[in-house]
Amino acid sequence: MAESTNVHSENKGGILFITIQRESKLNALNFATLDEIKTIFDEVNDNREIKGVIITGAGEKAFVAGADISEIAELSEVNARKFAENGQEIFQMIESCHKPVIAVVNGFALGGGCELAMACHMRIATANAKFGQPEVNLGIIPGYGGTQRLTILIGRGKANELMMTGDMISAEEAKTLGLVNHVASNKEDALQKAEDILGKIMDKAPLAIGMIVDCVNSVYTNDENGYLIEANSFARCVKSDDFAEGTSAFLEKRKPDFKGE
Ligand code: COA
């Protein structure tokens, strides 16, 4: 992966670690940072060396404290629409990625930061993490898919409360609401938990993992019949070499060796 200014990415043992690194601005997402995230995800699906992704923020204080307010402040109406559509498109790339993507939320995940975490397939929070959609404090609303994903994840009433009040919630409360999968005491433990989960997934059949992503995402897409997608994906899995390997390995009482084919 190419090195970039605001985002560091490094493949360690099949896991691509993506770190947003604008620590002096609490890792706020400016346009350049979003572009760099897009460039990285353009490659992830087709790169066979990458089996899973972890996204985190540099330092201990913030995952991402939102879109960069100094840039939002300058937006015209036309550019604001483009701004939202661009962010939505990049976060959809993450959500539809066929490799598992876990957010390790190490501190503030506000506005676009909470939206980025929600676009990932799972979230592990550090105990000091704080989640919120404080856009109303600026006279705007979430624009990177937050109104949709937050409602899906925690339900209408709580999503309305968080977005209308702009309140922040703790990692434990986020876990109770279903916004995060696990809470770890510190960043190191949170990264370890994410690596443990990815380690389990990396032993499974890659095609099946990608199809789980498609089927789960189809639940939330109005123009798709999720049951049809599930049946088609199931049939595609049965056609794969990995299915032959998985069933043979079970019958031969050995560990399967999946190739993603
Ligand atoms: N956009 C741009 N800059 C941001 C930012 C954002 N979303 N969030 C934080 N920063 C910058 C601050 O301006 C400050 O920069 P400076 O040192 O050059 O002045 C730096 O990051 C540190 O932030 P600071 O506010 O001093 O830290 P804090 O500990 O006092 O407060 C927060 C932390 C997260 C509560 C506070 O920074 C905040 O409310 N940020 C905005 C959150 C937000 O509204 N996000 C949604 C945007 S749509």
Side-chain angles (χ1 to χ4, degrees):
M1 284 281 165
E3 193 49 47
S4 52
T5 321
N6 302 299
V7 184
H8 176 75
S9 64
E10 189 176 359
N11 186 339
K12 291 189 213 159
I15 299 178
L16 186 71
F17 289 81
I18 299 176
T19 308
I20 318 291
Q21 47 182 21
R22 294 186 74 219
E23 210 176 330
S24 67
K25 298 290 176 192
L26 303 187
N27 304 320
L29 296 176
N30 59 2
F31 302 141
T33 305
L34 265 186
D35 271 358
E36 289 171 28
I37 294 173
K38 179 174 188 299
T39 304
I40 291 168
F41 273 91
D42 273 336
E43 258 194 75
V44 171
N45 268 341
D46 294 333
N47 186 336
R48 291 178 72 98
E49 303 299 313
I50 300 170
K51 317 255 185 244
V53 180
I54 291 176
I55 305 182
T56 194
E60 305 291 331
K61 189 171 172 183
F63 172 67
V64 166
D68 192 307
I69 297 171
S70 63
E71 289 185 345
I72 299 180
E74 303 297 322
L75 288 176
S76 66
E77 184 182 345
V78 171
N79 286 340
R81 179 186 288 274
K82 286 189 191 148
F83 165 93
E85 286 172 350
N86 179 52
Q88 287 178 7
E89 187 194 320
I90 295 166
F91 286 9
Q92 267 158 17
M93 284 172 75
I94 297 174
E95 186 170 58
S96 59
C97 179
H98 274 193
K99 318 285 172 75
V101 184
I102 301 185
V104 166
V105 180
N106 55 311
F108 291 112
L110 302 175
C114 189
E115 290 172 300
L116 172 62
M118 291 192 292
C120 298
H121 301 136
M122 295 167 225
R123 286 148 290 284
I124 316 288
T126 56
N128 72 330
K130 294 257 186 278
F131 294 79
Q133 296 289 162
E135 288 87 347
V136 280
N137 296 328
L138 304 170
I140 51 174
I141 64 168
Y144 289 166
T147 60
Q148 309 301 296
R149 292 195 180 94
L150 188 64
T151 308
I152 287 164
L153 277 164
I154 70 172
R156 190 187 299 214
K158 273 290 178 187
N160 274 329
E161 183 181 336
L162 277 189
M163 288 186 281
M164 289 182 184
T165 62
D167 281 351
M168 290 186 219
I169 56 170
S170 67
E172 278 304 333
E173 195 175 350
K175 186 176 166 208
T176 305
L177 291 173
L179 184 52
V180 304
N181 298 51
H182 302 278
V183 178
S185 50
N186 54 44
K187 188 174 177 183
E188 197 187 344
D189 289 356
L191 284 165
Q192 188 57 56
K193 180 73 186 172
E195 284 182 59
D196 290 347
I197 292 173
L198 288 180
K200 288 184 193 174
I201 297 171
M202 282 156 61
D203 279 345
K204 314 291 186 239
L207 290 174
I209 299 300
M211 286 181 202
I212 288 171
V213 170
D214 291 345
C215 292
V216 169
N217 287 347
S218 73
V219 173
Y220 307 109
T221 316
N222 290 334
D223 55 351
E224 284 181 339
N225 178 336
Y227 289 97
L228 185 62
I229 290 175
E230 184 185 88
N232 288 340
S233 303
F234 183 82
R236 282 182 59 203
C237 287
V238 165
K239 218 173 63 177
S240 70
D241 292 348
D242 281 348
F243 174 65
E245 167 63 9
T247 45
S248 309
F250 177 80
L251 295 171
E252 291 160 17
K253 300 190 189 304
R254 61 176 172 82
K255 210 171 165 259
D257 179 17
F258 293 121
K259 304 272 190 245
E261 287 160 8

